[in-house]
Amino acid sequence: MNSGIFGQAAGLFAVTNIDDIVILALFFAQGAGPLRIVLGQYLGFAGILVVAVAAAFGATFLPASAVPYLGLLPLALGLKAAWQVWRDRADGGGDDPPARGGGPKALEVAAVTFANGGDNIGVYVPVFATSGTSGMAVYVVVFLVLVAVWCLAGRFFATRPLIAAALSRWGHVLLPLVLIGLGVVILVEGGAFGL
C-alpha cells in the first residue's frame, strides 16, 4: 500500500472539516461535558462515513437531492439556541451568559456534524470509490483519528484565555448565529426549496 495515502487522507480531512474547529470551540465554550461533544462529533462523523462508504460501494442511502435539506438540522438547533438566549434575557438574565454545565447534547452535536458534513459526502464518495477497499479503510481510520485531533483543537481554542473570555461572554450569542448561518448556507448552496 502506498504510504502517501495517509497524507492524502489527512489533507482531505483537513480541507473538508476546517470549519468544524470553530463549531467545536463554540460547543466546548457552552459548558457541555467534553465527553458529550466528542461522542456527538464521532456519531455525526460516523454517519457521514457510513453514507460515503455505502455510496462508494453503490448503495445510495441519501439521494443527492436530499443533501441540501440537511441544512434544516443546524438551522433548527440554532433557532432553538436563539430562543433559549432570548428567553434567558426575557427572564432577567441580562447580558450574562447562561450558567455553565448545559450546552449541547451528544445527539445535537451529531446532528450538526452530520449536516455540516453533508457536502463532504460528495467529496468522499469518488475518492473512496477509486481507492479500493484497502485504501478506503485507510481513509476511514485516518479520518476517525483526526476527529479526535479536531476535538482537541476545538477544546484548545475554547480554553485559551483571550478566546475563552470572548466565548464565555459572547458564545451563547455566537453559537445560534453560527448554526443558523450554517443551516442557511447549506440550504442555499444546495438549492433547497429552489433557493
Side-chain angles (χ1 to χ4, degrees):
M1 179 182 334
N2 180 359
S3 61
I5 195 170
F6 291 100
Q8 292 169 354
L12 181 61
F13 181 89
V15 167
T16 57
N17 292 287
I18 195 71
D19 53 338
D20 278 351
I21 292 177
V22 174
I23 295 169
L24 283 166
L26 286 168
F27 281 152
F28 280 116
Q30 294 297 304
L35 184 60
R36 289 195 315 205
I37 296 168
V38 172
L39 177 62
Q41 186 72 6
Y42 267 102
L43 286 173
F45 203 80
I48 291 167
L49 289 177
V50 165
V51 172
V53 168
F57 280 122
T60 306
F61 290 125
L62 194 63
S65 61
V67 171
Y69 296 98
L70 291 174
L72 293 172
L73 292 170
L75 180 63
L77 291 171
L79 291 172
K80 176 185 171 199
W83 172 255
Q84 182 66 43
V85 169
W86 180 81
R87 199 174 80 210
D88 287 348
R89 262 191 103 169
D91 290 342
D95 288 332
D96 294 332
R100 296 182 73 73
K105 309 283 187 276
L107 289 179
E108 293 172 337
V109 174
V112 170
T113 301
F114 187 79
N116 190 34
D119 57 338
N120 295 10
I121 294 168
V123 174
Y124 297 161
V125 170
V127 172
F128 289 178
T130 58
S131 63
T133 305
S134 61
M136 192 182 325
V138 170
Y139 275 96
V140 168
V141 169
V142 169
F143 285 6
L144 291 174
V145 168
L146 289 177
V147 167
V149 172
W150 249 233
C151 289
L152 289 171
R155 178 78 173 158
F156 174 81
F157 288 121
T159 58
R160 296 306 86 200
L162 186 60
I163 296 170
L167 291 176
S168 175
R169 177 79 176 134
W170 297 105
H172 66 289
V173 174
L174 288 176
L175 181 64
L177 292 176
V178 167
L179 292 177
I180 291 168
L182 176 64
V184 169
V185 166
I186 292 169
L187 288 167
V188 170
E189 285 185 355
F193 305 113
L195 298 173

